[in-house]
């Protein structure tokens, strides 16, 4: 018999919920409502009474009521679990046909819909021998990012509604649109959600907890020269493009996205345009530490000064704008949120590890909106590709982690101390 969580994933993955870049409205695609409505229906069938669909923006909110007596329930935190409805715009999500490779025996996995698509055996895949592996047929992505997260949360809800004797505080559920296009939190109702903190279930490897994201800034560097007719330009023309080119040559080799990894930050020129008169360059600054960010900003300032010295008559302007901040700033003030997740994983037989995300996350944005939200593994591998896969074991461990977390918070949530949450 297939585990329930796999059945759910297969059902949800077949529904096209691909989001779209550069749409002003949320959700960016109407079809995300199809899954949102199905989940509303299924939550009600599971006996969850407080279910709400944001008819305009596609968010689903639900509450699994506490089983603790009211006074005790009020003393422990309301815990949220969040996953996203949409799939990445980078690979087709239309007509997804999930394939369950039962009882994986090792070796490569050839996808039946396209002989060119083969998932090569690797250490992560090999560790899943004996589990069922879910893939697409090779012509689309699978969308386990993040339907594995939705399936895990829904399976946990099913557990809770069929185990009313277990002691639990209030549990809040949310499914959000448009995470893949950066708008997942645009209309998230933090107040109405009513959780003290939450966990997104949108990570990869078994045991992964993301409690950090980059600090992110964008620098706009302008190079102002002096233009005139090139036929009569001798001694007059000051071409800003040469200054921009020189500035680009000053980026340190060891501080680029293509030369850094792990906890290293980077400087990344990503957009350049202009003419003789005026050139404009956008540079992304990324670092996990505030000191690292400050140093990168200072370095750009030195590069600007050096360029002005080298090109008399060119004025280099530098403006640095904040994009988002490392969620560790928030989560660091609530250490128990991550510590309890680690405990829940250990209880499920999983060795937890902390992962610093080299980007931003919806959880980071939510953290700064007042809802501390680290990210937990859902098990997906190779997301945003036709070779995406997820194992039944990883998803079952995600379910166990969620169920354990709810129980642990009910048992330990009102422990005294300044870091209560
Ligand atoms: Zn995701």
């Amino acid at each position: 018999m297939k585990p329930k969580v796999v059945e759910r994933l297969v059902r949800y993955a077949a529904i096209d919920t691909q989001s779209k870049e550069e749409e002003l409205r949320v959700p960016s695609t109407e079809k995300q409502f199809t899954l949102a409505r199905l989940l509303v229906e299924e939550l009600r069938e599971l006996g969850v009474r407080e279910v709400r669909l944001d008819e305009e923006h596609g968010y689903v909110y639900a509450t699994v009521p506490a089983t603790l007596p009211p006074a005790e329930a009020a003393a422990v935190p309301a815990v949220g679990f969040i996953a996203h409805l949409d799939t990445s715009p980078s690979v087709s999500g239309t007509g997804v046909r999930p394939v369950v490779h039962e009882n994986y025996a090792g070796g490569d996995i050839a996808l039946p819909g396209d002989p060119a698509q083969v998932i090569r055996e690797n250490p992560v895949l090999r560790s899943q021998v004996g589990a069922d592996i879910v893939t697409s047929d090779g012509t689309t992505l699978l969308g386990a990012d993040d339907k594995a997260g939705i399936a895990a949360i829904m399976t946990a809800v099913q557990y809770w509604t069929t185990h009313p004797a277990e002691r639990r505080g209030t549990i809040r559920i949310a499914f959000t649109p448009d995470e893949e296009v950066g708008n997942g939190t645009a209309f998230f109702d933090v107040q109405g959600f009513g959780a003290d903190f939450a966990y997104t279930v949108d990570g990869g490897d078994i045991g992964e907890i993301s409690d950090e994201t980059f600090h992110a800034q964008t620098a706009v560097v302008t190079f102002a020269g002096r233009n005139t007719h090139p036929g009569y330009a001798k001694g007059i023309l000051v071409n800003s493009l040469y200054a921009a080119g020189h500035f680009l040559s000053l980026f340190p080799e060891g501080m680029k996205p293509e030369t850094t990894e792990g906890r290293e930050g980077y400087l990344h020129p990503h957009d350049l345009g202009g003419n003789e008169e005026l050139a404009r360059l956008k540079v992304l600054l990324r670092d996990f530490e505030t000191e690292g960010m400050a140093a990168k900003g200072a370095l750009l300032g030195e590069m600007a000064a050096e360029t002005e010295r080298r090109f008399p008559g060119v004025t280099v302007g530098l403006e640095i704008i904040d994009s988002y901040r490392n969620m560790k700033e928030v989560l660091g003030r609530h250490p128990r949120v991550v510590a309890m997740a680690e405990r829940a994983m250990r209880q499920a037989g999983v060795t937890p590890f902390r992962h610093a995300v080299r980007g931003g996350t919806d959880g980071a944005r939510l953290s700064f909106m007042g809802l501390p939200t680290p990210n937990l593994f859902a098990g997906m591998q190779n997301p945003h590709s036709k070779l995406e896969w997820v194992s039944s074991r990883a998803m079952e461990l995600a379910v166990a982690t969620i169920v354990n977390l709810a129980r642990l918070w009910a048992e330990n949530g009102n422990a005294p101390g300044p870091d209560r949450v």
Side-chain angles (χ1 to χ4, degrees), residues 8 18 21 44 53 58 60-61 75 86 100 177 180 184 191 200 245 248 258 322 340 364 380 399 401 412:
R8 285 192 184 277
Q18 190 174 48
E21 299 277 8
R44 289 194 176 126
L53 172 65
V60 176
Y61 303 99
D86 64 317
V100 181
E180 300 289 4
Q191 204 66 31
T200 48
L248 278 171
E258 55 269 48
D322 282 323
M340 202 69 91
M380 75 281 269
V399 175
T401 298
N412 305 286

Side-chain angles (χ1 to χ4, degrees), residues 27 33 40 52-61 187-189:
F33 274 109
V40 166
R52 180 161 65 94
L53 172 65
D54 173 345
E55 295 280 354
E56 191 181 355
H57 298 299
Y59 293 76
V60 176
Y61 303 99
F187 295 94
F188 192 99
D189 179 7

Side-chain angles (χ1 to χ4, degrees), residues 16-206:
D16 182 0
T17 58
Q18 190 174 48
S19 50
K20 198 167 167 221
E21 299 277 8
E22 280 159 25
E23 281 289 332
L24 292 178
R25 69 211 164 96
V26 175
S28 59
T29 52
E30 276 300 302
K31 55 194 178 185
Q32 294 179 60
F33 274 109
T34 312
L35 179 56
R37 293 213 168 86
L38 174 71
L39 292 168
V40 166
E41 218 170 274
E42 290 191 1
L43 283 163
R44 289 194 176 126
E45 275 165 21
L46 287 171
V48 178
R49 265 188 292 264
E50 246 181 85
V51 186
R52 180 161 65 94
L53 172 65
D54 173 345
E55 295 280 354
E56 191 181 355
H57 298 299
Y59 293 76
V60 176
Y61 303 99
T63 299
V64 181
T67 57
L68 292 172
E72 282 183 62
V76 302
V79 184
F81 294 97
I82 301 170
H84 65 87
L85 298 160
D86 64 317
T87 60
S88 167
S90 56
V91 180
S92 170
T94 303
V96 175
R97 281 178 293 270
V99 180
V100 181
H101 308 261
E102 283 180 30
N103 196 9
Y104 171 63
D108 297 347
I109 299 178
L111 302 183
D114 180 354
Q117 301 294 337
V118 178
I119 302 171
R120 299 291 171 197
E121 197 195 70
N122 60 66
V124 182
L125 186 54
R126 198 173 311 129
S127 73
Q128 297 307 305
V129 165
D132 295 346
I133 305 294
V134 188
T135 67
S136 74
D137 70 354
T139 62
T140 64
L141 50 64
L142 172 62
D145 176 8
D146 185 24
K147 287 159 184 173
I150 296 179
I153 292 171
M154 289 297 286
T155 306
V157 171
Q158 189 171 3
Y159 173 88
W160 291 322
T161 54
T162 50
H163 291 75
E166 191 176 275
R167 292 164 60 80
R168 280 189 307 275
T170 304
I171 296 163
R172 311 285 194 191
I173 305 296
F175 300 121
T176 60
D178 280 352
E179 188 269 354
E180 300 289 4
V181 292
N183 275 334
T185 60
F187 295 94
F188 192 99
D189 179 7
V190 171
Q191 204 66 31
F193 188 49
D196 291 293
F197 50 85
Y199 301 90
T200 48
V201 185
D202 190 21
D205 292 341
I206 296 170

